[in-house]
Amino acid sequence: MGLPITAGCDTVGRLEHHLSLRLCLLALLLLLDTGSDVTASEEDRKPNFVLMMVDDLGIGDIGCYGNDTIRTPNIDRLAAEGVKLTQHIAAAPLCTPSRAAFHTGRYALRSGLGSTGRVQVLLFLGGSGGLPPTETTFAKRLQEQGYTTGLVGKWHLGVNCELRGDHCHHPNTHGFSYFYGLPFTLFNDCRPGEGKDVLADLQNTLWQLTLLGALALLSLVCVRVCGLLEVSVSVIVAVTCLSLLAFSVWFVPFELLMTWNCIIMRNQEVVEQPMDLDTLSQRLLGEAQGFIERNADRPFLLFLSLAHVHTPLFSSPGFAGKSRHGLYGDNVEEVDYMIGRMTETVDRLGLANNTMMYFTSDHGGHIEDADERGQKGGWNGIYKGGKAMGGWEGGIRVPGIFRWPGRLPAGRVFDTPTSLMDLYPTLTHLAGATHSDRLLDGYDLMPVLEGRTERSQHEFMFHYCGAYLNAVRWHRPGSESVYKVHFFTPNFSPPGAGGCYDTKICFCHGSYVTHHSPPIVFDLHTDPSESHPLTPDTEPRYQEVLQQTARAVEQHRATLTHSHPSHTQPDTHSPQSEPVLNQLSWEKILWRPWLQPCCGTFPFCGCTENTTSTLA
């Protein structure tokens, strides 16, 4: 017996109603689930990092650090919108060791990049020295966390070890998935007419030997032709061979240095040899902006390592003659323009609130560098010394600016000691990486940058001149005093000068330094220019300072027992230690043809990248 028609209709209606409710609930649940995924995705997305480093910039060259004649509105804006560090310290006063420490979070000595002689940086791209493959950089740690990593600009930490193309020191090997720029650095040799930087005295000696050999050969030939003496053909051949050898040893590595050292690479390919400085700024800026644009939808790390303001100074036409400080001022103002373009790119793509931007210099300005056109090096403000002057403040105190809207307070200034080595633990912490597999000398900066504390974890800092411990900084707990203890100081020349003008750069060994017993002590809090040494009569804590720093040095050296370049045993203080070899020995730094990167068939290296300068 069937149901009445009305009853069947009611049943169907109720079924449709229940089905509609269930569909609505299912849709609501899906919507809520999707919404929670979006929210979680937004919250869990890792921050981006844009690190910008200038080469040889003095802390006194920037408006927000006290310069009122060079225009740097874009860098000043970064400081106004973020955090400015006024005691930000490079781990070394020269390029190669400072950058090694920056990338690894460890003093350069631990990587074998502390010099024991006159050669304090890598001098030839065709040498075998560099950042050892066993070292771990912050780029490599972020790459492991899923970051796209890029380096645009200067590297100066080596390329090859044993063969051309092994790329054991190359940025790609050290965690940068993309590289465009200078695998080496700028030297005056990179621009005709700017003089010579690389072993100029050795070049002169080899040139004189070449002339002597040529003169001896000419004399022997004349004597034989005129019949004045009997000179065998074998003697003439031997002298000819020696003369040619002397000429080759001088001419090939040194007179062709612009071809060997001054090149541009894209990843592991040489794209320009020698490089064109007139278009370099535009290309570096364009590559950096392009990297951000290509990776705007994923976590990325970009290190823009500018070629400015290292000599030879160069600037784009739009900046030439525009500053009040000659060519050097033009360079600084062009740097400011590039920093502004980088900031504009981050903001335009809507990345500002999820991007930490950082601005610094690898060390202080080179105050001895000048010619008839004027000063070619930077100004280090009130601080004594400069580039390559060991632990003097002017060579190691650098700008330190962090901008991260919504995360870091705007306009804050902190005077606590911080280090370029702090970038490694800061970046890896923010990226979610686990603890390092080796001893670090830097500390996470976020507690300071976010204003949760006004003191960094650096109670002590150790300042090196090459491989030699030059000075120690002690931020006494519970006190504003920051004591600086100098164990030796470079000898300035001529006597009474403020730098090593006779040699153009200070050295760290032998007769080039003066050791102090007792050490020279300053309180940087009251005497930042290091002008008034403390004595037991003027400082009640004088003996305490010496005792505490001596104890800190002893503990620090215990961690270096097997990290010094002269040792070959593993570092037992590091979980994954490897033997450390001196990367700055003569054997490592001298030019070797079989290691030379080349565009084309060696030795006929040469190519030009197709580009048009558009930098205004």
Side-chain angles (χ1 to χ4, degrees):
M1 183 176 177
L3 290 171
I5 293 177
T6 53
C9 290
D10 289 343
T11 301
V12 172
R14 283 195 299 271
L15 288 172
E16 289 178 345
H17 178 69
H18 287 306
L19 183 60
S20 298
L21 286 175
R22 289 184 179 183
L23 288 173
C24 288
L25 287 172
L26 181 60
L28 181 60
L29 288 172
L30 288 172
L31 182 62
L32 290 173
D33 185 59
T34 303
S36 64
D37 287 345
V38 171
T39 303
S41 176
E42 289 175 349
E43 290 179 351
D44 295 342
R45 180 173 177 181
K46 296 177 179 179
N48 307 310
F49 304 105
V50 176
L51 316 179
M52 301 171 290
M53 178 180 284
V54 189
D55 199 358
D56 286 18
L57 181 73
I59 192 172
D61 291 328
I62 305 300
C64 59
Y65 283 93
N67 194 304
D68 57 3
T69 56
I70 296 180
R71 296 166 295 186
T72 57
N74 295 298
I75 299 172
D76 299 344
R77 175 194 163 195
L78 278 183
E81 295 179 355
V83 175
K84 182 176 74 171
L85 304 176
T86 58
Q87 200 172 163
H88 200 43
I89 307 300
L94 276 168
C95 304
T96 296
S98 172
R99 289 166 183 268
F102 170 72
H103 283 284
T104 63
R106 294 151 52 87
Y107 290 108
L109 197 65
R110 301 190 192 277
S111 304
L113 287 164
S115 169
T116 57
R118 63 172 292 184
V119 179
Q120 303 179 62
V121 299
L122 299 178
L123 295 181
F124 293 95
L125 193 55
S128 63
L131 187 63
T134 53
E135 279 294 339
T136 302
T137 64
F138 58 69
K140 188 176 291 186
R141 298 297 307 283
L142 266 62
Q143 199 175 50
E144 294 168 354
Q145 296 300 309
Y147 275 74
T148 301
T149 56
L151 192 164
V152 174
K154 171 178 172 174
W155 174 238
H156 205 185
L157 291 172
V159 175
N160 297 315
C161 285
E162 297 178 359
L163 294 171
R164 181 184 306 119
D166 67 29
H167 299 120
C168 68
H169 302 305
H170 191 278
N172 290 158
T173 303
H174 280 294
F176 289 101
S177 51
Y178 181 74
F179 170 65
Y180 176 89
L182 294 70
F184 197 58
T185 184
L186 280 182
F187 275 140
N188 279 331
D189 307 76
C190 293
R191 198 173 187 90
E194 292 290 340
K196 300 180 182 297
D197 278 333
V198 179
L199 302 175
D201 55 342
L202 178 59
Q203 290 191 54
N204 186 54
T205 300
L206 291 172
W207 167 239
Q208 290 177 357
L209 288 174
T210 300
L211 290 178
L212 286 175
L215 182 61
L217 177 61
L218 180 62
S219 299
L220 289 174
V221 170
C222 290
V223 166
R224 178 181 171 84
V225 170
C226 295
L228 299 176
L229 286 174
E230 279 220 20
V231 181
S232 66
V233 174
S234 60
V235 171
I236 293 178
V237 170
V239 173
T240 300
C241 291
L242 288 174
S243 298
L244 289 174
L245 178 63
F247 175 79
S248 299
V249 170
W250 161 70
F251 184 84
V252 176
F254 290 110
E255 287 302 299
L256 299 178
L257 202 58
M258 186 167 71
T259 297
W260 306 141
N261 277 354
C262 310
I263 72 173
I264 298 290
M265 295 183 79
R266 186 185 302 279
N267 291 321
Q268 297 175 4
E269 178 188 1
V270 179
V271 296
E272 186 160 274
Q273 189 173 21
M275 62 185 166
D276 179 5
L277 293 182
D278 292 335
T279 61
L280 182 60
S281 299
Q282 176 265 329
R283 284 183 282 169
L284 295 182
L285 178 60
E287 289 284 341
Q289 291 176 301
F291 180 86
I292 295 176
E293 291 166 352
R294 291 193 304 272
N295 297 287
D297 59 347
R298 71 193 78 178
F300 66 82
L301 160 73
L302 171 64
F303 177 34
L304 174 57
S305 178
L306 297 176
H308 287 316
V309 289
H310 198 293
T311 53
L313 297 175
F314 66 97
S315 60
S316 301
F319 296 92
K322 297 297 179 66
S323 82
R324 295 166 58 186
H325 287 274
L327 187 54
Y328 183 82
D330 296 344
N331 272 244
V332 176
E333 293 188 1
E334 183 169 10
V335 165
D336 181 76
Y337 168 80
M338 297 173 75
I339 300 304
R341 290 290 300 274
M342 293 299 296
T343 307
E344 183 273 331
T345 300
V346 169
D347 293 351
R348 171 172 52 83
L349 295 172
L351 302 175
N353 289 341
N354 196 46
T355 301
M356 173 187 278
M357 299 189 73
Y358 170 66
F359 175 83
T360 192
S361 175
D362 58 351
H363 50 71
H366 191 184
I367 63 176
E368 298 103 333
D369 204 349
D371 60 17
E372 65 279 358
R373 295 169 295 181
Q375 182 68 22
K376 297 196 294 182
W379 182 50
N380 300 313
I382 64 172
Y383 305 109
K384 185 172 184 175
K387 175 179 178 177
M389 296 191 195
W392 287 121
E393 205 72 0
I396 56 177
R397 191 179 291 222
V398 295
I401 299 172
F402 290 84
R403 174 197 187 241
W404 190 353
R407 183 71 183 266
L408 303 183
R412 292 293 297 273
V413 179
F414 292 99
D415 191 45
T416 185
T418 58
S419 171
L420 267 67
M421 296 184 292
D422 295 337
L423 267 292
Y424 183 112
T426 302
L427 300 184
T428 53
H429 165 73
L430 289 169
T434 56
H435 292 296
S436 174
D437 64 347
R438 61 200 63 215
L439 178 68
L440 296 181
D441 297 303
Y443 295 98
D444 181 7
L445 280 175
M446 289 308 292
V448 172
L449 297 178
E450 292 182 316
R452 287 180 273 136
T453 178
E454 293 195 353
R455 290 181 69 102
S456 73
Q457 292 179 260
H458 287 285
E459 182 179 351
F460 295 96
M461 279 190 187
F462 304 94
H463 307 304
Y464 281 88
C465 190
Y468 307 105
L469 184 58
N470 183 191
V472 177
R473 177 185 311 252
W474 179 37
H475 193 188
R476 187 176 181 275
S479 169
E480 293 184 333
S481 291
V482 179
Y483 296 104
K484 183 98 161 284
V485 178
H486 289 261
F487 303 114
F488 68 86
T489 50
N491 295 330
F492 291 164
S493 59
C500 300
Y501 289 89
D502 288 349
T503 54
K504 298 299 183 185
I505 201 167
C506 294
F507 299 115
C508 307
H509 62 286
S511 61
Y512 294 104
V513 301
T514 296
H515 291 266
H516 304 287
S517 183
I520 302 175
V521 182
F522 301 97
D523 183 354
L524 298 177
H525 177 65
T526 58
D527 180 25
S529 60
E530 296 174 286
S531 302
H532 307 289
L534 302 177
T535 67
D537 296 329
T538 60
E539 175 52 63
R541 294 192 173 92
Y542 181 84
Q543 293 301 328
E544 179 190 0
V545 172
L546 295 183
Q547 292 168 3
Q548 291 292 338
T549 52
R551 188 175 297 115
V553 167
E554 183 179 359
Q555 294 173 353
H556 172 64
R557 281 181 170 157
T559 72
L560 294 169
T561 302
H562 301 296
S563 299
H564 191 282
S566 63
H567 293 271
T568 57
Q569 298 298 316
D571 181 358
T572 56
H573 298 271
S574 176
Q576 293 187 6
S577 58
E578 294 287 342
V580 178
L581 299 176
N582 187 352
Q583 301 294 318
L584 294 175
S585 65
W586 285 106
E587 177 189 1
K588 290 280 189 180
I589 64 100
L590 288 179
W591 184 72
R592 300 176 184 182
W594 58 91
L595 296 180
Q596 176 62 50
C598 180
C599 175
T601 302
F602 186 86
F604 306 105
C605 307
C607 56
T608 302
E609 188 176 26
N610 185 20
T611 183
T612 302
S613 178
T614 59
L615 190 60

